Amino acid sequence: NLETLGHHCFGNTNISSVTFPESLKSIGDECFYRCKNLSGDIIIPSKVTKIPENCFYQCDNLDGRLELGASITSIDARAFFLTHLRGPLLLTAGLKTIGEQAFEGNAFSSISIPQSLANIGNRALCGNPISGSLEFPREMVAISSGAFAWTRIEKLIFHDEFVAIDAGAFSGCININSIVCSAVNPPE
């Protein structure tokens, strides 16, 4: 019947794996901060609505897949910073915000961006080997600085109401070969 894991409750420990109960509703910030031995898959239960700041920060042996529960609306700053999670990053339908550096330095090969996503923070997906096409949802009107820097993205598709692409948003993305922008005036 465990419902809550508090702030920093397992931070800097030697735990090697974690399996969350379906009853879990809340995970505290820095909950698994720098758990250097943590490895395998991370499966977030369906009642959890937010992955808080620094939750799995620098769990650098975390090398499995990430499965997010259907209720996730926010992934906060540095939630999965410098882990080595891999495979496709399947973001859930209700997700609205990805914080700065949330997934920086992981090994995700692809990403599915839900139509609900409105904000992607600075360097949020920087350094992942994400490839293929990215089509940005109508809720999103801007891309933050460095958000997709140093990825392997090949094609970008912007809707007609897109407003701004911040400095370095796609810096180092040498595989981009196509940009489609349906706006009358391209984003600045």
Side-chain angles (χ1 to χ4, degrees):
N1 292 339
L2 180 66
E3 293 184 354
T4 302
L5 294 174
H7 167 77
H8 204 74
C9 65
F10 296 107
N12 295 302
T13 63
N14 289 321
I15 62 171
S16 59
S17 67
V18 63
T19 302
F20 297 112
E22 278 303 314
S23 58
L24 190 66
K25 294 180 182 176
S26 173
I27 302 173
D29 60 323
E30 298 183 0
C31 191
F32 298 95
Y33 184 89
R34 290 190 171 160
C35 288
K36 299 290 189 176
N37 294 327
L38 187 59
S39 65
D41 295 341
I42 295 294
I43 300 170
I44 306 295
S46 61
K47 293 178 184 173
V48 175
T49 60
K50 164 179 143 167
I51 308 296
E53 200 168 298
N54 299 321
C55 190
F56 293 93
Y57 181 92
Q58 286 189 340
C59 294
D60 51 14
N61 276 322
L62 200 51
D63 58 357
R65 293 179 178 264
L66 174 62
E67 186 177 316
L68 297 170
S71 299
I72 298 289
T73 59
S74 175
I75 299 171
D76 291 351
R78 297 169 302 283
F80 296 96
F81 179 76
L82 293 180
T83 66
H84 291 103
L85 291 166
R86 60 189 70 250
L89 178 55
L90 305 174
L91 300 174
T92 55
L95 183 65
K96 294 180 182 0
T97 302
I98 298 175
E100 66 180 48
Q101 298 179 295
F103 294 107
E104 183 173 349
N106 279 276
F108 293 112
S109 57
S110 64
I111 183 173
S112 65
I113 299 178
Q115 290 302 308
S116 59
L117 190 62
N119 299 301
I120 295 180
N122 295 343
R123 301 181 62 86
L125 290 141
C126 180
N128 281 270
I130 296 167
S131 62
S133 296
L134 279 183
E135 182 167 0
F136 296 97
R138 295 199 74 72
E139 293 294 318
M140 187 181 301
V141 295
I143 300 287
S144 296
S145 179
F148 293 95
W150 303 102
T151 61
R152 297 179 185 162
I153 296 166
E154 296 146 23
K155 181 177 182 178
L156 301 171
I157 304 168
F158 299 99
H159 59 79
D160 59 349
E161 295 180 23
F162 216 84
V163 176
I165 300 171
D166 286 354
F170 298 97
S171 179
C173 294
I174 61 171
N175 292 340
I176 293 176
N177 58 35
S178 177
I179 299 173
V180 177
C181 182
S182 59
V184 174
N185 296 312
E188 297 177 8

